[in-house]
Amino acid sequence: MKSDHPRMSYLSQLEHETIFILREAFARVKPTAMLWSIGKDSTALLWIIRKAFFGHVPFPMVQLDTEMELPEVYEFRDRIATEWKLDLRIELCPPEDEMDPTLAPASRAAARKTAGLRNLIGRDRFKGIILGIRRDEQSMRAKERVFSPRATDGAWDFRNQPAEFWDQYKTEIPEGQHLRIHPLLHWTEIDIWKYTLRENIPIVPLYLSRSGYRYRSLGEKNITSPIKSDASSIEEIIAELEATNVPERAGRLMDHDSEDSFERLRASGYM
């Protein structure tokens, strides 16, 4: 629900729209869970959820765990889960040798989370899965809807999606299917960092420069690399982003696989 209030800042309007989406999802789609990657986007979304529901998180947080995250990510996860009293559920993902052998190596490693999510939904029958993705992250994600239907096997038909006009969302779910819900779809990377700074949201310290390198996007240690950067504070990250044209996911190795790898991952259910 967009607001034209003249005194509302741009960040407050983004927050307002996201809270509206979250409350719509909670009211209309049950049962629901949220995927928490422990990265900057999903942690900012988790912060907004706590605002939307008056300090309470009314659905489970799920980490799809390949056991390949960096140590700092696990440390941050455990600390925040305790401090914020989260219903945190760890879903271990199947091994890489069970993934599609025709995928490029890094994409095959990433596909483990798709399989883990499919197992989670099949077992716990979630009808809604909330994620912290944004349209500006990757070209395939630019095609997403806020409420995005998924087939029984998790596949995404990006060529046949419901229209979303005037904040009217289609939330009916055919038997066996589920909805992916994207409350941050309209945000940008800089928006997330400006909001994190404004709200003083905790972050994994890997985002800040150490010895001339930092992680711009967090993923498994076998498929993610840091970038060269001297940005050791959020203010410096924002300034750096305002001056760069390097893609956010430049450190994600799977994004450098064959041209159709990410499209194949997304179409089959990747986040």
Side-chain angles (χ1 to χ4, degrees):
M1 183 172 61
K2 292 179 172 57
S3 171
D4 296 321
H5 195 294
R7 294 183 179 178
M8 183 175 288
S9 72
Y10 176 62
L11 289 178
S12 294
Q13 183 168 325
L14 287 174
E15 179 190 69
H16 181 74
E17 293 171 9
T18 295
I19 287 174
F20 173 76
I21 293 165
L22 288 166
R23 289 176 175 165
E24 282 286 291
F26 183 64
R28 294 173 178 267
V29 187
K30 297 180 184 296
T32 291
M34 176 181 146
L35 298 188
W36 185 32
S37 71
I38 305 104
K40 63 184 185 304
D41 302 297
S42 61
T43 301
L45 180 56
L46 178 52
W47 181 272
I48 298 172
I49 290 169
R50 294 169 74 233
K51 280 193 165 188
F53 299 102
F54 310 102
H56 174 58
V57 179
F59 35 74
M61 293 290 110
V62 177
Q63 184 206 7
L64 300 174
D65 190 10
T66 61
E67 300 184 303
M68 292 295 291
E69 303 289 353
L70 293 152
E72 292 90 339
V73 172
Y74 289 116
E75 292 167 8
F76 183 85
R77 178 198 70 185
D78 294 343
R79 177 172 66 83
I80 294 299
T82 299
E83 290 179 3
W84 293 358
K85 298 180 175 59
L86 304 178
D87 176 7
L88 177 62
R89 305 181 188 182
I90 310 299
E91 181 71 24
L92 291 178
C93 299
E96 188 175 334
D97 59 15
E98 294 182 12
M99 301 302 103
D100 182 353
T102 68
L103 285 171
S107 294
R108 191 162 59 248
R112 295 179 61 196
K113 289 192 174 181
T114 304
L117 179 56
R118 190 177 298 122
N119 291 344
L120 172 77
I121 293 171
R123 184 185 65 246
D124 294 344
R125 304 299 178 187
F126 287 116
K127 288 293 186 180
I129 298 293
I130 298 173
L131 303 98
I133 71 166
R134 310 183 323 270
R135 282 197 177 102
D136 72 322
E137 285 182 272
Q138 206 274 343
S139 59
M140 280 296 291
R141 287 177 172 170
K143 302 175 183 179
E144 275 285 11
R145 297 292 188 265
V146 175
F147 285 78
S148 179
R150 291 304 201 269
T152 304
D153 62 357
W156 176 44
D157 183 0
F158 56 88
R159 295 183 180 89
N160 183 26
Q161 299 184 82
E164 292 182 334
F165 299 123
W166 306 294
D167 301 314
Q168 299 297 308
Y169 301 116
K170 183 178 179 180
T171 57
E172 296 81 8
I173 311 168
E175 184 62 33
Q177 299 187 18
H178 71 279
L179 288 176
R180 303 281 176 89
I181 302 159
H182 306 122
L184 298 181
L185 208 55
H186 50 297
W187 294 57
T188 67
E189 183 182 7
I190 290 181
D191 292 335
I192 292 292
W193 281 118
K194 288 181 176 179
Y195 184 76
T196 298
L197 178 63
R198 188 187 83 171
E199 299 287 308
N200 195 28
I201 302 172
I203 58 170
V204 178
L206 293 169
Y207 283 115
L208 304 178
S209 179
R210 295 187 298 188
S211 303
Y213 287 88
R214 72 176 185 88
Y215 284 85
R216 187 169 166 190
S217 177
L218 290 180
E220 293 85 352
K221 57 189 176 184
N222 58 327
I223 57 173
T224 312
S225 301
I227 63 167
K228 289 185 178 181
S229 172
D230 294 320
S232 58
S233 68
I234 295 179
E235 292 91 341
E236 291 176 354
I237 289 175
I238 293 169
E240 180 181 83
L241 293 178
E242 289 175 335
T244 187
N245 58 6
V246 176
E248 178 179 1
R249 295 174 63 90
R252 294 290 190 107
L253 301 187
M254 71 180 190
D255 285 36
H256 304 291
D257 279 343
S258 61
E259 185 175 341
D260 68 338
S261 287
F262 199 89
E263 182 168 336
R264 289 175 62 192
L265 282 173
R266 292 284 289 165
S268 65
Y270 185 74
M271 287 65 70

